[in-house]
Each structure stands twice: as structure tokens, then as C-alpha cells.
């Protein structure tokens, strides 16, 4: 080889060798990491973003323990992730990125607690749909009237407003988050003369046939002072309306976190790959829901009149 050419090729070889990519060492998880590979030799995890750019590497040991949020979450199993509406999309993503080779699906690998997967009940209010007209009965009632024969003033107590009892029964549980029990806020729509648009907190369990009940008294009590003449008895007449309203609702459970594809042979240099499903699937593709029926009982007291006889 001519000396000049030799020198050029030597220089090129040196350049190629002398500029190794300086890998960023990450101490915590970048927000935009969508997938990762485990590098067995160095004991590190390589993180990538959605454009397939390497974001850097993390030591396995830097993974802090995973903090599950709230009480309404549970770990998502490998079986459950495959029951999500978007599972086929996740599978296609893996096939496209790493190939459709023999592999095992896993979630919540103990060695990588920060790459966990969970499923949580929504923390948004669940709206109640009313089915049919409320069934109501109205009664006239009286309060007080115990004082007779003394003149002066009497204090009579009146309660106005509505007391609610909501009973819910799970009619269809979801395949994911089975048995999960959670407190939810149920939005009660306004129904003329029956409800005034409120919300009630109740407990729902993801298990078919489970019933629970909650009460919420939104009546306010006040005192009416009445001048009672000699020989008179004063009382309060009022109307009490009790209604039963049937309804139903749906409670979404949303899956979140990492799904592992553990290949039997190295693909794209690694055996273990994981993908952040939140980056690949929209919320609908990660959601399943529970259905419940409800019976709302209300008691409303109104139209108070002082009657002295
Ligand atoms: C992710 O974040 C890194 C570092 O902040 C940035 O270099 C990279 O371009 C981001 N990727 C995307 C897809 O936004």
C-alpha cells in the first residue's frame, strides 16, 4: 500500500476507534423513556425514547423502590396485560422492534421494581345514569305540638333538604384488577324535585354481585320560634317525599407501566426488552371497566307551615 494511503486509512481507523459515544449515565428515569434493554454484561439498563434515540444507561442498582399511588391500584400481571384492549398493538410494536421470536411476556420483574406495571381505578368522578322515572311517595307529617297550656314561645325544629342512600351492585366485573376494592365518587344528576345534583362517595368492588351502600344526609336543621298563645298547641306541618331511582354506571380501571419481552435468543443485541405501554397505547387501549347497577333512595322534607290550634 502506498504510504500516503496507508496513513489515511490508519487515521480513519483511529478516528473510528477514538470517538466512542460517551454514554450518559442516568441517575433517574427520563420522563420520555419508552423502552429499554437490559445489558447483561455491564449490568446496566439502556433507555430509549420514542424516536429510538439512546437516552443513556442506568445502573441496575439505582432503581429505587416503586411507590404505588393511592389504595386503588394493584399490580398488573402478565396475563392481565394480555387482556387489555390494546394488547395486539403492544405485540405488534414488539414484533416490529425486536422480532416475533420465541419470548416470554412478563410484568413486575423483581429486579427492576422501578419498571413496574399496575392498574388503578380512575380517580375521576363516575357519573350515574338514571334508568326510568323515580318512584315516589309523598306524605304529610307534623313535628312538635307537645306543649300545651303554657303561654310564651316554643322552639320547633325543622329539617329541610334531602337525605341520600345509594346502594350499588357490581353487575359485570372486569378481567383485570379482579377483586380490587376502591372508593369512588359518584355524580348524581339533577332530577326535578328528587335530587339536586350532588356527589356521593361509595365503595365498589371488582367482583360480580358485590353490593355496598352509603348514606349522606344533606338536610339542614334549623329552629323556628313560635309565639304560642294560652291554651294553644303549635306544631310544624311539612311534606316528606321518599323516592327510589334506579341507575347504573361504569368504573374504568387504567393500566400503566412497563411490559417485558424476554427473548430466548438475543435480538438487537439483548435478551430482555421492555416497553412503557403509556407511550404506545392511548388511555382507552389501556382501560377496562366494571359495570354496576344502583338504587338511589332519597327523602326530602319541605313545605313547612306553623299551625297553632
Ligand atoms: C427525550 O429527552 C432527551 C433528554 O432530555 C432528549 O434529548 C430527547 O430528544 C427526548 N426525546 C423525545 C422523543 O422527545
Amino acid at each position: 500500500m502506498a504510504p500516503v494511503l496507508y496513513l489515511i486509512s490508519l487515521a480513519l481507523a483511529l478516528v473510528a476507534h477514538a470517538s466512542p459515544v460517551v454514554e450518559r449515565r442516568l441517575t433517574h428515569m427520563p420522563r420520555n423513556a419508552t423502552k429499554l434493554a437490559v445489558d447483561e454484561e455491564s449490568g446496566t439498563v439502556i433507555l430509549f425514547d420514542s424516536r429510538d434515540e439512546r437516552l443513556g444507561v442506568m445502573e441496575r442498582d439505582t432503581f429505587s423502590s416503586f411507590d404505588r399511588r393511592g389504595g386503588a391500584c394493584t399490580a398488573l400481571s402478565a396475563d392481565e396485560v394480555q387482556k387489555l384492549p390494546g394488547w395486539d398493538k403492544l405485540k405488534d410494536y414488539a414484533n416490529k422492534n425486536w422480532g416475533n421470536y420465541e419470548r416470554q411476556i412478563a410484568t413486575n420483574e423483581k429486579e427492576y421494581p422501578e419498571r413496574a406495571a399496575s392498574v388503578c381505578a380512575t380517580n375521576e368522578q363516575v357519573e350515574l345514569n338514571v334508568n326510568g322515572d323515580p318512584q315516589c311517595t309523598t306524605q304529610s307529617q307534623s313535628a312538635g305540638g307537645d306543649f300545651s297550656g303554657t303561654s310564651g314561645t316554643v322552639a320547633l325544629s325543622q329539617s329541610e333538604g334531602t337525605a341520600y342512600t345509594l346502594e350499588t351492585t357490581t353487575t359485570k366485573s372486569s378481567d383485570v384488577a379482579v377483586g380490587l376494592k376502591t372508593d369512588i365518587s359518584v355524580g348524581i344528576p339533577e332530577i326535578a324535585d328528587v335530587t339536586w345534583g350532588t356527589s356521593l362517595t361509595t365503595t365498589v368492588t371488582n367482583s360480580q354481585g358485590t353490593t355496598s351502600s352509603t348514606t349522606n344526609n344533606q338536610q339542614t336543621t334549623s329552629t323556628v320560634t313560635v309565639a304560642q298563645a294560652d291554651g294553644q298547641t303549635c306544631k310544624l306541618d311539612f311534606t316528606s317525599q321518599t323516592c327510589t331511582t334506579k341507575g347504573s354506571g361504569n368504573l374504568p380501571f387504567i393500566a400503566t407501566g412497563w411490559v417485558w419481552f424476554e427473548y430466548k435468543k438475543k435480538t438487537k443485541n439483548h435478551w430482555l426488552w421492555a416497553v412503557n405501554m403509556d407511550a404506545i397505547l392511548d388511555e382507552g387501549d389501556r382501560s377496562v371497566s366494571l359495570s354496576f347497577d344502583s338504587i338511589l333512595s332519597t327523602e326530602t322534607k319541605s313545605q313547612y307551615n306553623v299551625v297553632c290550634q
Side-chain angles (χ1 to χ4, degrees):
M1 203 189 286
V4 174
L5 270 182
Y6 172 77
L7 279 177
I8 290 173
S9 60
L10 180 68
L12 283 176
L14 279 175
V15 167
H17 249 290
S19 58
V21 183
V22 179
E23 190 83 79
R24 284 180 64 195
R25 309 297 283 195
L26 301 166
T27 49
H28 36 250
M29 179 77 164
R31 283 197 174 274
N32 63 3
T34 61
K35 61 188 158 188
L36 63 81
V38 172
D39 192 58
E40 302 288 342
E41 283 100 73
S42 61
T44 56
V45 167
I46 309 161
L47 295 160
F48 301 86
D49 70 9
S50 59
R51 290 188 304 236
D52 250 342
E53 309 253 359
R54 276 170 90 112
L55 298 172
V57 298
M58 277 177 95
E59 300 296 333
R60 266 190 205 185
D61 303 345
T62 41
F63 293 155
S64 61
S65 73
F66 179 66
D67 206 10
R68 290 185 207 288
R69 55 183 173 114
C73 295
T74 185
L76 183 75
S77 72
D79 276 352
E80 288 175 323
V81 77
Q82 297 176 57
K83 290 175 182 165
L84 295 176
W87 168 244
D88 283 344
K89 283 186 195 164
L90 267 188
K91 209 168 55 177
D92 290 348
Y93 179 86
N95 292 346
K96 217 174 80 202
N97 278 270
W98 311 305
N100 187 12
Y101 309 119
E102 204 184 336
R103 67 193 170 201
Q104 206 170 346
I105 309 302
T107 54
N108 295 303
E109 286 289 28
K110 283 194 192 68
E111 281 177 82
Y112 305 98
E114 217 182 51
R115 278 340 77 99
S118 58
V119 53
C120 300
T122 184
N123 44 21
E124 280 167 25
Q125 181 166 301
V126 169
E127 300 304 328
L128 198 70
N129 304 310
V130 171
N131 303 332
D133 291 332
Q135 302 298 306
C136 296
T137 57
T138 305
Q139 277 187 309
S140 295
Q141 294 189 338
S142 296
D146 307 327
F147 306 94
S148 169
T150 41
S151 67
T153 55
V154 262
L156 299 172
S157 148
Q158 71 175 42
S159 298
E160 274 181 300
T162 304
Y164 296 87
T165 300
L166 177 69
E167 189 182 281
T168 56
T169 302
T170 304
T171 52
K172 186 182 118 333
S173 59
S174 72
D175 291 345
V176 171
V178 174
L180 186 65
K181 190 173 179 176
T182 180
D183 283 345
I184 60 168
S185 168
V186 180
I188 311 292
E190 187 166 336
I191 309 168
D193 297 329
V194 178
T195 61
W196 274 262
T198 185
S199 69
L200 306 175
T201 300
T202 193
T203 306
V204 170
T205 305
N206 190 18
S207 167
Q208 198 172 327
T210 313
T211 293
S212 80
S213 175
T214 187
T215 59
N216 185 270
N217 189 339
Q218 297 183 5
Q219 291 174 340
T220 54
T221 301
S222 55
T223 301
V224 184
T225 308
V226 182
Q228 190 169 259
D230 239 356
Q232 267 195 333
T233 303
C234 294
K235 59 186 174 117
L236 285 172
D237 283 352
F238 62 94
T239 303
S240 168
Q241 178 184 251
T242 55
C243 299
T244 305
T245 310
K246 289 187 174 163
S248 59
N250 289 303
L251 170 66
F253 293 98
I254 304 140
T256 181
W258 292 82
V259 184
W260 293 85
F261 293 82
E262 303 181 346
Y263 285 89
K264 297 276 188 272
K265 282 188 189 157
K266 274 191 178 181
T267 165
K268 300 255 181 93
N269 293 326
H270 304 282
W271 281 288
L272 304 182
W273 285 94
V275 58
N276 183 355
M277 69 175 110
D278 305 35
I280 309 300
L281 303 178
D282 60 31
E283 200 170 286
D285 278 338
R286 292 183 281 119
S287 301
V288 291
S289 67
L290 159 168
S291 307
F292 62 86
D293 277 354
S294 65
I295 297 170
L296 180 68
S297 307
T298 50
E299 185 204 26
T300 302
K301 291 176 178 172
S302 62
Q303 296 169 19
Y304 279 83
N305 276 311
V306 178
V307 180
C308 294
Q309 286 169 334

